[in-house]
Amino acid sequence: DAGVTQSPTHLIKTRGQHVTLRCSPISGHKSVSWYQQVLGQGPQFIFQYYEKEERGRGNFPDRFSARQFPNYSSELNVNALLLGDSALYLCASSILAGAGNEQFFGPGTRLTVL
Amino acid sequence: KNEVEQSPQNLTAQEGEFITINCSYSVGISALHWLQQHPGGGIVSLFMLSSGKKKHGRLIATINIQEKHSSLHITASHPRDSAVYICAVFRANAGGTSYGKLTFGQGTILTVHP
């Protein structure tokens, strides 16, 4: 079975642009979580979605938004990009939402904002 | 002070050595993840545990809930074990916007020389 997939793998944008990142969970997984990992730091939680609804949100500005589709895939959108948004964006899927449900990570999308 | 602290931050070993990476946390948790991240970014889930000990191949993870401490051991280390090892926790009774949120340590960079 395929693991979590993310697209694109790399992306270069300029300040002020917007970006859409995509994630497909493991088959049978209904929950998707998004994390931001700035170089040299551990990942930071952005969102968790379950059954198309937002179930958790981290401390990120409203420029960050996401959604989950009926097939459980998910998009992360970031508007008005800033240099500080340059990071590795990780998607993780789990069977269910909430604590204690093992999360499986995708390869990430590396976003560079110039 | 971070809620999840790992030690050491950097670890260098010779092939064949026994390795221990430590994780301490300051909050109540429902489960703890040990993750492996190779250069390039992809994260692999090694273990999720909430009590006791788990073993997979040369990897062993233990957790002491009372002491709020977990360890990851690698026996007979090999250069291919070189990676960043990350500890992440699900907080107990996390609700509201923290639902499903993983809180990560800063990672331990392991280098194993032949």
Side-chain angles (χ1 to χ4, degrees):
Chain A
D1 282 343
V4 178
T5 59
Q6 292 186 242
S7 62
T9 54
H10 294 84
L11 202 51
I12 298 175
K13 292 285 189 178
T14 56
R15 282 178 295 175
Q17 287 188 312
H18 75 272
V19 67
T20 298
L21 310 180
R22 295 178 175 83
C23 171
S24 291
I26 292 171
S27 178
H29 287 197
K30 297 183 178 181
S31 181
V32 168
S33 299
W34 287 96
Y35 298 89
Q36 180 197 64
Q37 186 178 26
V38 174
L39 195 63
Q41 299 180 19
Q44 298 289 318
F45 175 73
I46 310 175
F47 289 111
Q48 185 181 61
Y49 274 76
Y50 176 69
E51 293 282 14
K52 297 178 289 181
E53 292 190 3
E54 180 184 303
R55 299 301 301 272
R57 171 185 280 261
N59 189 23
F60 280 80
D62 291 343
R63 299 184 296 108
F64 288 76
S65 64
R67 56 180 175 168
Q68 187 178 31
F69 299 98
N71 67 353
Y72 304 112
S73 66
S74 177
E75 285 183 352
L76 175 69
N77 295 284
V78 187
N79 293 323
L81 285 167
L82 303 175
L83 295 179
D85 295 330
S86 295
L88 180 68
Y89 289 85
L90 294 158
C91 169
S93 76
S94 54
I95 294 174
L96 300 174
N101 285 279
E102 187 172 7
Q103 298 192 2
F104 297 85
F105 288 80
T109 293
R110 188 164 298 281
L111 172 65
T112 302
V113 182
L114 301 175
Chain B
K1 192 176 189 296
N2 294 332
E3 292 179 340
V4 182
E5 294 277 355
Q6 290 183 234
S7 63
Q9 292 189 356
N10 286 279
L11 183 56
T12 301
Q14 289 298 126
E15 184 173 356
E17 287 185 356
F18 180 85
I19 288 163
T20 296
I21 299 170
N22 296 297
C23 174
S24 296
Y25 49 91
S26 57
V27 295
I29 71 167
S30 59
L32 182 146
H33 256 295
W34 278 104
L35 305 159
Q36 180 193 57
Q37 186 170 34
H38 280 281
I43 289 180
V44 175
S45 176
L46 299 174
F47 297 102
M48 192 180 75
L49 64 167
S50 55
S51 65
K53 175 180 174 178
K54 286 190 176 181
K55 184 177 189 292
H56 184 257
R58 294 180 296 106
L59 302 178
I60 303 167
T62 64
I63 189 168
N64 185 319
I65 296 294
Q66 287 74 26
E67 294 186 3
K68 294 186 175 177
H69 181 268
S70 177
S71 293
L72 176 69
H73 306 285
I74 305 175
T75 61
S77 60
H78 190 275
R80 64 175 174 266
D81 297 326
S82 298
V84 178
Y85 291 83
I86 304 173
C87 167
V89 302
F90 286 108
R91 296 183 68 167
N93 304 314
T97 59
S98 293
Y99 188 84
K101 171 184 174 182
L102 270 174
T103 301
F104 293 78
Q106 75 276 30
T108 294
I109 303 171
L110 172 64
T111 305
V112 182
H113 294 294

